[in-house]
Amino acid sequence: MLIYSGFNQSNSHYSKDDSAGTILGDKASQSHLMANSNGVEGLHVWSSPEGGCKIDIGKQIFCNRSLNMKNILAVGFDMDYTLAQYKPETFESLAYEGTITKLVYDLGYPPELLEWTFDPKYMVRGLVLDKKRGNILKMDRHKYVKLAYHGFRELSKEDKVGTYGNTLIRDSFDEPDYALIDTLFSLAEAYLFAQLVDYKDNNPGKVPEGADYSHMYKDVRAAVDLCHRDGTLKQMVAKDPKRYINEDTSIVPMFKMLRASGRSTFLVTNSLWDYTNIVMNFLCASHALDGSLSCNFDWLQYFDVVVTGSAKPGFFHEENRANIFEVEPESGMLLNTDNGTPMPQVGSTSSEVLLKGLNKSCRVFQGGNVAHLHKLLSIESSSQVLYVGDHIYGDILRSKKVLGWRTMLVVPELEREVKLLWELRDLRKQLRLLRNERDLVEDQIHHLKWSLKFESFRDDEKQKMISALGELESQRDQARLAHQQAQRECHQKVEELPFSIRLIFHKIWGQLMKTGYQNSRFAHQLTGYSHFAPSGGKALRDRLVIQSGQ
Ligand SMILES: Nc1nc2c(ncn2[C@@H]2O[C@H](COP(=O)(O)O)[C@@H](O)[C@H]2O)c(=O)[nH]1
Ligand SMILES: [Mg+2]
């Protein structure tokens, strides 16, 4: 990935108009180009866009604020959906099927659910489930509901406004009545919830007695949760990681480059050691010609510290008194530590234990909190840490807002969207200018009308104002026409684009970062809380990154 040009301490910015960063609207402004596909050898190229490598728009890095990599002493990663990009069509389908099985066999839902199928492309991040009403919402940054579906049926404008637009006290749209779809892990449960809402409406007698929409959501959540805990998902991934996780040949060169830069590197994941080892081994191991994987611990060489079972976001609370155990990689055994320092077990001498623990180039732990991590990495100030994650709440919010870590959010969905926005950049700029022109004239008209109504003028002055008003009104009509024409051209241009590009914006939910002209709630969270974000595709190194916050 290479996130920052700053690996040799130079930052290169693009002006707002040159950058797809403008797609973020209000805040995001600058993009850094730094990825290429040559591995470690390309270090010099990553340092600046003038380095000679033209980078695909979908693989650029978007930043809300520049970051001087000179100050970053440690770079950390989340694992699931950050380093490991799961394939939704297999992985999320597995979660979907596992959840249905539990609903039917453990929670009394009818067996016909077993025939249901999952569309992994239907739901998107940033949506909000209204658990009580059975609705799925997309809202803008001010939390105004812009799109609302009851199950899979779109609410009429009247119903939408009647339900969400008229409350005197603004709804916060947060837990416990609402659920945020803020991780890719939640797409399957959101889809299943919509299916159950439709099913209940059409077959009221068939869902378990007393199961209202909220109750059904609770059942789905509990079943999904169990799938993550009881091995339903992890056993299957462990058997055949390639089926569920995208291979990424750029990850190892990225780690090598980070190590060569002299920075500390760490992994903090909520997954436990056994699973972490399987996934990281898959991502970092060299594959034999027959596709088989040699399972070893080589990947540990890329890290100073690995924290598994971290229980984020709780991990980011320094006052969290979570015990930290050392993991013995070979056996998976947990060993007691004294706040991360190896502790002699009864029967072994303290010097033996200390030597064994401290000689390792990478130490693996389970649990603990951020204070332990800082101590293990000798971090003096949290602003020296950059952390890359995929979950706004789990990975970014607290680590950035309270601790002051620099943070980066992975948004794989954007890679495709920015390509389309780039294709349309001239037209979009023209549309923006025409809209501004129209708004300006409308403002002047409003002003004049107001003055004519409430202020007193001489007759000749009044006459002048009335004729000015007439002129402005005709200007406004022209501006409206020009804007409409540009909008038509824009649609026409979209129609003319290759089919694959046209399909980029979601057919139901539209652009991820926008609702109409406003930033979506998801975009707002992103620009408000995270530092930046790389996104998926084949190579994390080449991923799209959004920087925000701070
Ligand atoms: N018990 C649950 N575990 C979940 C759920 N959704 C995801 N997960 C697990 O969390 C970790 C994420 O790891 P990280 O590397 O991103 O920190 C992974 O093991 C998932 O299986 C859930 O709803 N319940
Ligand atoms: Mg994750």
Side-chain angles (χ1 to χ4, degrees):
M1 146 164 75
L2 268 246
I3 307 176
Y4 284 108
S5 47
F7 284 103
N8 54 3
Q9 276 85 47
S10 79
N11 283 335
S12 44
H13 299 283
Y14 277 66
S15 74
K16 194 165 173 130
D17 272 348
D18 290 340
S19 145
T22 52
I23 58 153
L24 292 177
D26 321 339
K27 276 192 175 175
S29 60
Q30 294 157 334
S31 71
H32 290 220
L33 304 183
M34 35 209 90
N36 77 354
S37 52
N38 299 331
V40 169
E41 301 72 33
L43 250 177
H44 63 286
V45 177
W46 294 349
S47 67
S48 77
E50 298 80 25
C53 175
K54 180 134 179 56
I55 292 145
D56 186 294
I57 181 73
K59 301 194 188 309
Q60 292 181 11
I61 294 168
F62 296 86
C63 314
N64 281 334
R65 201 191 138 183
S66 60
L67 169 67
N68 190 343
M69 276 302 284
K70 246 194 263 180
N71 301 332
I72 297 297
L73 302 185
V75 180
F77 297 88
D78 163 72
M79 182 178 78
D80 298 287
Y81 272 124
T82 297
L83 294 172
Q85 286 300 324
Y86 291 95
K87 301 176 181 175
E89 60 287 6
T90 50
F91 183 78
E92 292 309 327
S93 296
L94 196 62
Y96 174 83
E97 282 154 22
T99 306
I100 289 202
T101 306
K102 289 186 193 329
L103 288 177
V104 172
Y105 294 111
D106 302 340
L107 295 168
Y109 283 76
E112 66 190 273
L113 268 64
L114 296 166
E115 308 294 320
W116 287 4
T117 52
F118 170 52
D119 176 0
K121 295 204 168 82
Y122 187 91
M123 293 295 175
V124 295
R125 273 205 285 185
L127 299 177
V128 175
L129 306 188
D130 179 342
K131 298 183 203 171
K132 278 191 182 159
R133 299 185 181 94
N135 296 345
I136 297 106
L137 316 173
K138 181 173 178 186
M139 49 187 79
D140 71 12
R141 69 194 181 106
H142 303 292
K143 295 194 184 174
Y144 283 105
V145 175
K146 291 300 178 85
L147 277 171
Y149 279 72
H150 179 71
F152 293 105
R153 175 179 56 82
E154 186 170 11
L155 292 192
S156 66
K157 197 169 175 193
E158 295 71 41
D159 284 350
K160 187 182 70 181
V161 173
T163 311
Y164 300 108
N166 282 337
T167 43
L168 281 177
I169 302 168
R170 295 274 298 139
D171 206 325
S172 69
F173 294 103
D174 282 324
E175 294 282 356
D177 292 338
Y178 298 88
L180 308 183
I181 304 305
D182 52 9
T183 130
L184 292 171
F185 280 121
S186 307
L187 301 186
E189 72 193 63
Y191 190 78
L192 188 47
F193 178 61
Q195 280 182 310
L196 282 170
V197 168
D198 265 10
Y199 183 74
K200 178 181 160 60
D201 290 351
N202 296 319
N203 310 274
K206 287 196 181 174
V207 293
E209 214 178 310
D212 55 15
Y213 300 133
S214 291
H215 187 110
M216 291 191 316
Y217 174 79
K218 211 168 125 215
D219 287 344
V220 171
R221 181 88 278 289
V224 171
D225 190 50
L226 198 54
C227 286
H228 282 275
R229 288 190 284 117
D230 70 358
T232 304
L233 301 176
K234 294 186 168 96
Q235 300 276 13
M236 296 297 284
V237 177
K239 264 193 228 158
D240 188 4
K242 198 175 170 169
R243 184 171 153 71
Y244 300 101
I245 304 173
N246 285 310
E247 278 174 86
D248 190 340
T249 52
S250 299
I251 279 190
V252 167
M254 173 189 72
F255 287 145
K256 284 185 176 163
M257 196 181 107
L258 275 173
R259 302 294 283 173
S261 78
R263 292 181 175 82
S264 302
T265 46
F266 65 91
L267 185 77
V268 176
T269 169
N270 282 356
S271 288
L272 294 174
W273 165 249
D274 52 349
Y275 186 69
T276 304
N277 186 37
I278 285 162
V279 173
M280 290 307 295
N281 206 51
F282 170 74
L283 290 172
C284 298
S286 48
H287 300 249
L289 284 179
D290 65 358
S292 64
L293 256 174
S294 53
C295 200
N296 52 45
F297 306 109
D298 284 356
W299 65 272
L300 288 174
Q301 69 186 288
Y302 304 122
F303 295 95
D304 295 289
V305 172
V306 169
V307 181
T308 60
S310 61
K312 289 171 290 181
F315 180 83
F316 297 119
H317 290 251
E318 279 168 284
E319 66 281 10
N320 182 354
R321 289 179 53 81
N323 280 335
I324 181 162
F325 299 97
E326 183 135 17
V327 178
E328 198 177 75
E330 293 79 6
S331 62
M333 197 160 77
L334 296 186
L335 305 170
N336 286 317
T337 67
D338 181 11
N339 284 320
T341 306
M343 254 171 103
Q345 315 282 305
V346 173
S348 61
T349 67
S350 56
S351 55
E352 262 171 23
V353 171
L354 269 171
L355 266 177
K356 206 172 157 197
L358 300 175
N359 275 345
K360 289 179 196 156
S361 61
C362 171
R363 295 180 67 200
V364 183
F365 295 92
Q366 179 176 308
N369 65 26
V370 69
H372 293 127
L373 181 70
H374 281 181
K375 189 172 145 221
L376 287 162
L377 294 170
S378 308
I379 295 294
E380 283 164 11
S381 155
S382 36
S383 64
Q384 297 167 333
V385 180
L386 170 66
Y387 185 62
V388 187
D390 69 293
H391 191 186
I392 292 184
Y393 289 95
D395 295 320
I396 306 295
L397 186 57
R398 191 175 168 88
S399 61
K400 184 252 163 208
K401 253 185 129 174
V402 180
L403 282 179
W405 277 11
R406 312 303 296 258
T407 53
M408 180 182 288
L409 189 82
V410 176
V411 190
E413 303 95 311
L414 278 184
E415 186 171 341
R416 286 149 36 90
E417 285 201 2
V418 287
K419 283 188 185 153
L420 179 54
L421 293 166
W422 185 248
E423 295 280 339
L424 298 174
R425 65 194 176 281
D426 292 338
L427 266 173
R428 289 172 52 244
K429 188 171 175 184
Q430 194 193 342
L431 267 175
R432 213 169 36 242
L433 292 175
L434 287 169
R435 215 167 41 241
N436 289 348
E437 197 179 305
R438 182 199 62 192
D439 291 350
L440 190 74
V441 179
E442 281 179 349
D443 206 35
Q444 287 170 334
I445 291 174
H446 182 74
H447 208 79
L448 258 182
K449 280 187 173 167
W450 183 269
S451 300
L452 280 167
K453 197 165 178 184
F454 295 107
E455 293 171 33
S456 42
F457 297 99
R458 288 195 321 266
D459 280 353
D460 60 324
E461 282 175 337
K462 207 167 183 174
Q463 214 41 55
K464 266 191 201 158
M465 286 166 78
I466 290 171
S467 76
L469 184 62
E471 268 173 39
L472 280 173
E473 280 173 340
S474 97
Q475 265 183 42
R476 178 202 53 202
D477 294 345
Q478 280 168 17
R480 278 184 183 165
L481 275 176
H483 183 249
Q484 281 161 6
Q485 175 65 19
Q487 271 183 320
R488 269 196 294 275
E489 275 174 37
C490 200
H491 289 145
Q492 180 67 28
K493 176 126 194 232
V494 172
E495 290 298 314
E496 285 162 11
L497 289 169
F499 190 62
S500 57
I501 298 187
R502 264 190 287 144
L503 285 182
I504 283 170
F505 290 158
H506 198 281
K507 61 181 188 301
I508 308 283
W509 307 109
Q511 202 181 326
L512 184 75
M513 305 295 277
K514 292 276 181 191
T515 42
Y517 297 123
Q518 289 284 345
N519 273 1
S520 62
R521 185 180 181 184
F522 183 70
H524 182 59
Q525 289 169 327
L526 233 161
T527 52
Y529 299 133
S530 67
H531 195 76
F532 3 162
S535 102
K538 289 195 300 304
L540 181 63
R541 193 193 55 204
D542 289 350
R543 275 176 198 150
L544 170 71
V545 177
I546 290 193
Q547 176 183 3
S548 56
Q550 303 209 17

